[in-house]
Amino acid sequence: MSYENIIVRNENNVAVVNLNRPKSLNALNSDMVAELGKAFDELTGDAQVKVIIITGEKNFAAGADITNMVELTPEEAYDFAFSPIYNKIANCPKPVIAAIEGFALGGAMELALCCDLRIATPTAKIGFPEITLGIFPGAGGTQRLPRLIGAAQAKKLIYTGAIIRGEAAYALGLVDTLAENPLKEATTLAEDLAAKPPVALKLAKECINAADDVDLNTGVAFEATNWARLFATSDQKEGMRAFIEKRKPTFVGK
Ligand code: DAK
């Protein structure tokens, strides 16, 4: 499928989704977000794709397109469909990595929060400046940010709208890896993950994501059920047999 606001390429079982509106620093308009939704449907259904990277050349993105939002009524703002697509990305059954250089602001950082991992340059410019526009992060940011870095640090970033460097975001745990070339680092990691057993990755992600939603005992029970399900996969047999036979496993995703 071809898109106007994103570029999707696929190599070695790794799909790279490039946000591509460079004239506005990749600001996310509703068309771009709709295309992201379609791309994720396509990539989720493509058995050749094992891992997905979201990135932007020079800049990840400077947030949602402000020109798209300025005159919205409350009803239109509510319908402005970011969160369903962001939730789809957060719940994608494949690992999703954000590779961040330049600006990653507002709705763009909320998108990065939907990814499993965030790799950024030390000099990336990261923040939630919505407050300076008279709004606050509304695409999951008030929920995902405190879960990741704690309520006080999340409040500090959201209340002030401060833009911090990648290295400061790393110190907060908002970014989990610093790299001079985040896309290269993300690709190396993605190729490593692409060789891992996909069902185990998928169910591990479901369990870890569930930790945000349920109490500990419910989560541990959910984990036990999913863990047991892995013993119905040939990849579990292959992984353990390969260990015993002192060879490298070959996983088939079943
Ligand atoms: N929207 C639209 N255009 C933008 C933009 C944005 N977010 N960011 C940059 N641009 C455009 C600029 O207007 C400029 O366009 P031209 O004037 O050349 O036509 C071009 O990109 C280059 O930007 P600058 O000239 O400003 O470049 P500088 O290097 O001087 O400054 C900057 C870079 C990133 C500091 C500055 O552009 C800036 O402050 N941008 C706005 C950042 C921002 O406030 N981001 C948060 C946006 S609000 C939703 C939930 C959440 C959201 C949306 C919906 N729902 C529940 C549906 C999210 C909201 C947000 O993200």
Side-chain angles (χ1 to χ4, degrees):
M1 199 180 288
S2 72
Y3 301 99
E4 287 183 9
N5 301 284
I6 59 174
I7 299 169
V8 181
R9 61 188 168 80
N10 188 354
E11 213 175 294
N12 298 334
N13 301 122
V14 176
V16 178
V17 178
N18 253 282
L19 308 175
N20 188 39
R21 295 182 70 223
K23 285 190 182 136
S24 55
L25 309 182
N26 294 336
L28 294 131
N29 61 14
S30 41
D31 288 346
M32 185 195 264
V33 175
E35 288 185 4
L36 274 175
K38 286 197 186 112
F40 266 77
D41 284 340
E42 192 183 357
L43 297 173
T44 298
D46 184 343
Q48 293 304 311
V49 173
K50 310 279 189 207
V51 183
I52 303 166
I53 297 170
I54 306 178
T55 193
E57 208 178 312
K58 294 202 177 87
N59 293 287
F60 189 73
D65 192 321
I66 298 164
T67 61
N68 247 206
M69 293 186 290
V70 59
E71 299 300 345
L72 295 181
T73 65
E75 292 75 18
E76 287 165 342
Y78 190 82
D79 289 341
F80 196 49
F82 269 47
S83 291
I85 290 169
Y86 278 25
N87 289 344
K88 184 202 299 253
I89 293 170
N91 295 320
C92 174
K94 303 177 183 187
V96 184
I97 305 169
I100 300 169
E101 60 179 301
F103 287 107
L105 301 177
M109 207 47 217
E110 293 183 285
L111 173 62
L113 286 175
C114 296
C115 300
D116 298 305
L117 299 164
R118 284 153 293 282
I119 302 175
T121 61
T123 56
K125 298 177 200 84
I126 291 173
F128 299 86
E130 287 92 335
I131 206 77
T132 63
L133 301 167
I135 56 172
F136 60 74
T142 65
Q143 304 306 301
R144 293 194 175 96
L145 186 62
R147 281 167 165 80
L148 190 64
I149 66 171
Q153 294 293 0
K155 285 176 180 170
K156 197 168 164 190
L157 281 178
I158 290 172
Y159 291 179
T160 63
I163 297 176
I164 61 173
R165 287 164 62 92
E167 56 204 0
Y170 175 72
L172 288 173
L174 178 50
V175 158
D176 38 77
T177 305
L178 289 178
E180 288 302 332
N181 186 336
L183 180 56
K184 191 165 168 237
E185 184 82 12
T187 304
T188 303
L189 174 61
E191 286 175 358
D192 176 38
L193 297 183
K196 300 276 190 289
V199 182
L201 285 175
K202 169 180 172 280
L203 293 182
K205 178 168 177 171
E206 275 183 32
C207 289
I208 296 166
N209 284 0
D212 283 339
D213 298 332
V214 301
D215 66 85
L216 183 63
N217 286 330
T218 306
V220 170
F222 184 63
E223 177 194 70
T225 307
N226 279 317
W227 190 78
R229 282 172 64 194
L230 294 173
F231 287 76
T233 66
S234 53
D235 282 349
Q236 173 268 324
K237 300 287 177 272
E238 166 66 5
M240 294 191 182
R241 281 177 190 148
F243 173 80
I244 292 164
E245 292 162 14
K246 300 193 187 305
R247 61 176 173 80
K248 251 186 106 183
T250 304
F251 296 116
V252 295
K254 289 183 184 141

